[in-house]
Amino acid sequence: GEFKDGHLFGKGKLHLSDLSTYEGDFCKGFFHGTGVFCIASTPTIYKGSWKDGKKDGYGWMLYDHNNWYEGGWCADKKQGLGYRQYKNGSRYKGMWLNDMKNGEGTMVWENADVLTLYIESYFFA
């Protein structure tokens, strides 16, 4: 990749000490733009948008076989419209806020029961 003022900048590939890899855009040393991050010794992969080193924008995250999320991200948390496939076969399509289901969505359980819901998540300081 490239360097600017001593920082990773532009397109490149980074190999981390734990053998994880990132290939994509950098700005001031951070993952920034679009890229793919593969975490070594796990099946975890994130492919999508980054901002200042955090998942931000649209992306797809594979946690394990048949266990993934695709949709909006903000500061490393699920945010906005997204689709979550769970390992047990359940799935959720709807709105997210701060990594939690929030607003309108539909949950389909592993036994094929369907629930359309409206959820409000509350956070207390």
Side-chain angles (χ1 to χ4, degrees), residues 30-99:
F30 291 105
F31 304 166
H32 191 90
T34 58
V36 178
F37 184 54
C38 300
I39 299 175
S41 73
T42 73
T44 305
I45 298 170
Y46 174 76
K47 180 180 183 179
S49 298
W50 297 85
K51 182 178 177 184
D52 298 327
K54 295 182 178 182
K55 294 179 286 295
D56 201 285
Y58 188 83
W60 176 75
M61 180 95 166
L62 175 70
Y63 302 99
D64 202 350
H65 175 72
N66 206 33
N67 187 10
W68 50 271
Y69 170 81
E70 182 175 6
W73 295 85
C74 183
D76 266 348
K77 295 183 179 184
K78 294 174 205 75
Q79 183 106 353
L81 181 61
Y83 185 88
R84 179 75 165 90
Q85 171 72 44
Y86 296 91
K87 192 172 191 163
N88 69 0
S90 297
R91 54 197 183 276
Y92 172 79
K93 182 178 182 180
M95 300 304 292
W96 296 80
L97 178 65
N98 291 319
D99 247 3

